[in-house]
Structure formats: structure tokens, C-alpha cells
Amino acid sequence: TLEKLGSQDFEQMSTTELAAAEAAIKSLRLPIAQLPTRRMAPSARGSLDPRAAFRNARRHGGTFLTLPKRAPRAKPPRLVVLVDISGSMSNYSRMMLLFANALKTGRHKIHSDLHVFTFGTRLTNVTRRLANKDPDQALADIGRLVQDWDGGTAIGASLERFSKDWARRVRGSDSVVILITDGLERGDTARLGQAAQRLQL
């Protein structure tokens, strides 16, 4: 397939559209379990915290009034999001990027350790552009950076490029990769299967 090149001039969202989008995004939660860390924190359930117990006892003349407990702190896993921006995904890719922007810069910063790539016929790292707290500006910056909007789809080649150039830099043992695509591959489907298997491994 021929590669369609060109930047994307995102129209500014109206105040009503932006408010509705932000309200919908705030209600979304990724069903990804948090991971325990080596750091401990006070907890109602967990193992006995001897240091905290003795500190409390010293304040009360050596009497153990309570037995504090502790448990490992939990944190969200590192997220890597690959967003299909080909023609068949044009109605969805903008909202997915807006969602990624909210995950990275929103009030709660649920997934601040987030890396985002777009792909159609080529792979582009848009993580830095998504760091802008103004979602309209973030999308405008991405629109100027990415050159394969609304064109063909080369999912297999894009996944291969990610595995070769980026996987070791942005992934860790605790990372989760989210692939957002309708799966409409214009290239070799066998190549796509191999690339997807490698990504999973």
C-alpha cells in the first residue's frame, strides 16, 4: 500500500465538547492491578510493624496500646500505549490520545509513568507532546509531529519497529503494553503475528 504522508490539523474542541470529554475520561479506570513495591506503609491489614509499635509504647510509658501493622506500598505499573491512527481509526484515535493525556497529566496522575506511540505506516513517539497539561495544545503538537494520519496501516511493521528501537528503553518487568487498533492490517498478516508474539514475550 502507498504511504500517505501529512500532518494533522486538529480542530479545537468546543467548551461543551471538552467538558463532556473530560467528564467521560474521569469516569474511566483501566482494569490494571497495582503492583506491590519494596517500600512499606501503615496498613490495617498486614504484618506487625515492630518499630512503630515500640515508638508508640515509649510515648505511653512502655505500654503497648496498639500493634501497628504495615504492608507493601502499591503503585500502578508502567504503561506503554500504542495507538493506531490509520484511516479506519480516525474517529477514535483523537479520543484515545486525549485519554492518554489525562492519564499522564490529570489531577490524580494515575499513570504518570506512561509512554505513548502512534502508528499508521510508521511509528512515532508522542510521549513528550502528551506531557502538556492543555489537552488541545497537546493534540495540536502531536498533529504537527505525526506524518501518517488517516493513511494505511502497517501494524506488523510498526510493532517490529517498537520492539527493535524502543522496547528495552520504555518497558520494564512491571510494564503493561496496550495496543489500540481495529486490527485492519494492510501488510503481511504472518508478519503481524510474529511481531505480536515477540511483543508479548
Side-chain angles (χ1 to χ4, degrees):
T1 59
L2 295 178
E3 180 180 24
K4 178 182 177 181
L5 299 180
S7 61
Q8 179 82 336
D9 183 16
F10 282 123
E11 296 179 0
Q12 295 292 302
M13 297 179 74
S14 69
T15 303
T16 302
E17 290 173 334
L18 185 58
E22 288 180 344
I25 285 171
K26 287 179 181 178
S27 68
L28 294 176
R29 291 292 183 270
L30 292 175
I32 298 175
Q34 298 210 353
L35 302 174
T37 67
R38 293 182 179 180
R39 294 188 177 184
M40 307 294 283
S43 174
R45 298 179 179 179
S47 58
L48 177 66
D49 186 347
R51 290 185 179 181
F54 281 107
R55 281 198 303 267
N56 290 344
R58 283 198 299 267
R59 297 190 190 114
H60 298 89
T63 303
F64 289 90
L65 299 178
T66 61
L67 293 177
K69 296 181 179 181
R70 63 181 184 174
R73 291 180 183 269
K75 69 171 185 176
R78 177 182 300 182
L79 280 183
V80 179
V81 182
L82 307 173
V83 183
D84 186 341
I85 57 168
S86 62
S88 60
M89 286 287 292
S90 60
N91 292 333
Y92 310 100
S93 55
R94 176 177 176 170
M95 190 56 63
M96 293 300 99
L97 290 171
L98 187 63
F99 181 44
N101 173 259
L103 289 176
K104 190 170 182 66
T105 66
R107 181 173 56 184
H108 303 295
K109 292 186 178 180
I110 302 172
H111 292 284
S112 56
D113 193 1
L114 171 70
H115 300 273
V116 181
F117 297 80
T118 63
F119 69 91
T121 53
R122 58 177 64 187
L123 185 75
T124 306
N125 185 350
V126 299
T127 304
R128 290 186 179 180
R129 270 65 178 186
L130 277 176
N132 195 317
K133 293 184 179 180
D134 181 342
D136 269 335
Q137 188 59 53
L139 290 179
D141 292 344
I142 292 172
R144 288 189 291 269
L145 172 68
V146 177
Q147 297 295 310
D148 55 338
W149 292 100
D150 297 342
T153 314
I155 306 175
S158 297
L159 294 185
E160 286 178 353
R161 180 58 56 188
F162 173 78
S163 294
K164 181 179 180 181
D165 294 344
W166 292 100
R168 291 186 179 180
R169 285 191 262 180
V170 303
R171 289 187 63 187
S173 60
D174 62 345
S175 64
V176 174
V177 178
I178 300 177
L179 178 61
I180 301 174
T181 179
D182 58 3
L184 185 58
E185 173 66 282
R186 299 293 187 182
D188 184 357
T189 55
R191 183 181 185 183
L192 170 58
Q194 293 171 357
Q197 185 178 26
R198 181 180 179 185
L199 181 64
Q200 184 179 21
L201 292 174

